[in-house]
Amino acid sequence: MKSYRQIVEAAKTEIPEVTVDEVQANQENGGDFVLLDVRDEDEYRAGYIPDAVHVTRGMLEFSVENYIPDREQKVIVYCAAGLRSLLAAKSLREMGYTDTVSMAGGYRDWAAAGYATAQDKSMSNEQLDRYSRHFMLTEVGEKGQSKLLDAKVLLVGAGGLGSPAGVYLGAAGIGHLGIIDSDVVELSNLQRQILHRTEAVGTPKVQSAATTIKSLNPDVDVTPYNLRLTAENVEDIFAEYDVIVDGCDNFATRYLVNDAAVLMNKPIVHGSIFQFEGQVSLFKPNEGPCYRCMYPIPPPPGMVPS
Amino acid sequence: MLPGIIGVMMATEAIKYIIGIGEPLIGRLILYEALGMTYREVKIYRDADCPICGENPSITQLIDDYDAAAENPETFAPAAG
């Protein structure tokens, strides 16, 4: 039987240790290494070393490959004081990582030395609970959720496509959701436009959409635009957003959205449907095609099914 | 049902893009057909002659009236000057 001290001492014979000063100098000189934080969620939340990758000691063996696929990569592991990091580094060696070291003194000594630290936007207890299933996805985590909460997404159209997109974007915690539509809710919309309820018939779609999304997730700051997108207003509106989700239902708007997004270098999530067929893509100016690369001009009127 | 499937795919792409994970649908078009329940991916490419994002774009600012232009497609992409 071994005590934890014996286990730590044994790990020390296998795993080289580096000081916080060495790590800091190495980081400043742009050294090629990954800094791996293996502390628990609450410790990480209170502050971490900038650019560190965070995988808790408990999840290390299960998910480290998602973050550090290259087993030849130099990895500097740290925890609070330098013990868990030794054991984590040893476990990484067993997994085939060839160059793992442990930072002696851990985050405690790093912070005491006055070196740079970072902290993610803090979330309320309610948010930690609401988004807890996102945190279980290692690719999302609290960092990903913070990005969602900081994101500004514009939904063009609160109809068939905008409804499900808006419901999921709102539920997922997109911090700022703009919704533009000039229509009012009609009874014939309700069979598919799930943002709108029977009692909303006759009211503006953006108002009904805002009510539904706010009740689903009060974190979302909804900006309704009860108007039609035009060449005059598009630039002022798009300027406020990082991503445009285009669920519009007419060619004039589709080409307007495309042209404005290309000119303003904004990504468009494109979707369209006709009867039983649908299509989806992401148009990223300068990196991939735009809508006009596929369809330079719209089909002549009369050829367009409505 | 179809708009739900496509709309949720759109939301998924937006979220992937914002977080910066996975393979974005840049240069790829997903085609979904509900009756056959089939799903295809086609590669789409940038067009060097694209009137707005090509090498010599004819459109360098927004058209005045997209509604009017939609009624008369030739006006949609002025010839390169």
Side-chain angles (χ1 to χ4, degrees):
Chain A
M1 207 156 65
K2 284 182 184 169
S3 71
Y4 93 90
R5 279 185 191 287
Q6 287 169 314
I7 295 174
V8 167
E9 287 308 318
K12 277 191 180 183
T13 64
E14 285 179 55
I15 304 298
E17 288 183 286
V18 290
T19 66
V20 295
D21 300 325
E22 286 166 340
V23 175
Q24 201 271 342
N26 212 339
Q27 199 175 37
E28 218 168 68
N29 297 331
D32 179 26
F33 62 88
V34 172
L35 206 50
L36 176 64
D37 185 329
V38 296
R39 295 173 304 156
D40 288 347
E41 295 293 350
D42 54 335
E43 299 176 281
Y44 179 82
R45 220 172 270 145
Y48 57 90
I49 301 177
D51 301 326
V53 168
H54 180 225
V55 186
T56 61
R57 176 71 189 90
M59 290 302 289
L60 182 71
E61 292 82 356
F62 303 101
S63 56
V64 69
E65 286 165 299
N66 297 335
Y67 296 93
I68 311 174
D70 176 10
R71 282 173 156 75
E72 312 286 309
Q73 172 72 53
K74 182 179 179 72
V75 182
I76 300 177
V77 190
Y78 76 89
C79 60
L83 297 182
R84 278 174 291 171
S85 57
L86 268 172
L87 304 183
K90 185 168 183 288
S91 188
L92 290 175
R93 294 243 171 167
E94 285 167 24
M95 291 178 75
Y97 287 86
T98 54
D99 191 4
T100 63
V101 303
S102 169
M103 187 172 86
Y107 186 77
R108 185 196 59 198
D109 282 10
W110 178 274
Y115 295 144
T117 60
Q119 193 172 12
D120 289 341
K121 199 165 80 172
S122 66
M123 284 185 219
S124 66
N125 287 337
E126 192 183 315
Q127 286 175 320
L128 292 173
D129 195 10
R130 177 184 288 272
Y131 305 118
S132 57
R133 295 305 183 274
H134 275 169
F135 305 154
M136 292 162 105
L137 303 168
T138 53
E139 292 82 354
V140 181
E142 286 183 42
K143 255 193 169 51
Q145 188 63 48
S146 291
K147 288 183 187 170
L148 297 179
L149 288 167
D150 285 338
K152 296 173 178 170
V153 176
L154 179 67
L155 275 182
V156 180
L161 296 171
S163 281
V167 166
Y168 272 85
L169 290 170
I174 295 291
H176 189 150
L177 204 51
I179 308 174
I180 182 161
D181 201 307
S182 61
D183 290 344
V184 297
V185 180
E186 295 176 25
L187 193 58
S188 65
N189 298 150
L190 301 186
Q191 135 279 11
R192 65 194 184 286
Q193 299 183 15
I194 57 169
L195 271 175
H196 313 301
R197 306 293 150 109
T198 303
E199 56 270 27
V201 169
T203 65
K205 279 189 179 176
V206 289
Q207 188 188 314
S208 153
T211 305
T212 304
I213 291 169
K214 285 302 263 185
S215 79
L216 194 58
N217 186 353
D219 278 349
V220 186
D221 178 13
V222 182
T223 304
Y225 300 91
N226 187 16
L227 44 82
R228 191 148 193 258
L229 203 61
T230 66
E232 284 73 48
N233 63 28
V234 67
E235 282 161 310
D236 284 345
I237 296 172
F238 276 21
E240 301 292 319
Y241 297 92
D242 314 315
V243 181
I244 315 298
V245 173
D246 180 14
C248 77
D249 61 356
N250 65 85
F251 282 105
T253 305
R254 179 138 280 159
Y255 280 82
L256 171 63
V257 166
N258 184 75
D259 292 358
V262 170
L263 294 172
M264 298 176 75
N265 196 21
K266 304 265 181 190
I268 302 176
V269 180
H270 162 84
S272 68
I273 52 172
F274 175 61
Q275 293 186 351
F276 292 99
E277 291 175 18
Q279 62 182 44
V280 192
S281 192
L282 177 63
F283 301 138
K284 180 93 196 293
N286 303 317
E287 288 183 31
C290 77
Y291 189 70
R292 281 194 192 259
C293 290
M294 293 200 294
Y295 310 109
I297 58 170
M303 296 290 288
V304 186
S306 57
Chain B
M1 259 32 78
L2 180 65
I5 292 166
I6 300 297
V8 173
M9 284 166 107
M10 293 167 75
T12 308
E13 277 306 298
I15 284 172
K16 278 166 56 190
Y17 176 83
I18 292 162
I19 302 179
I21 54 172
E23 294 302 321
L25 278 179
I26 299 170
R28 299 151 63 204
L29 184 71
I30 300 298
L31 300 169
Y32 173 79
E33 200 274 314
L35 290 183
M37 199 54 98
T38 57
Y39 176 95
R40 287 195 300 138
E41 174 180 326
V42 296
K43 293 266 177 286
I44 50 176
Y45 299 95
R46 284 188 78 174
D47 178 3
D49 296 326
C50 173
I52 189 154
C53 79
E55 285 161 14
N56 289 301
S58 59
I59 304 168
T60 53
Q61 57 182 42
L62 296 174
I63 299 170
D64 290 339
D65 186 341
Y66 278 79
D67 285 316
E71 297 297 313
N72 182 14
E74 298 83 65
T75 62
F76 237 92

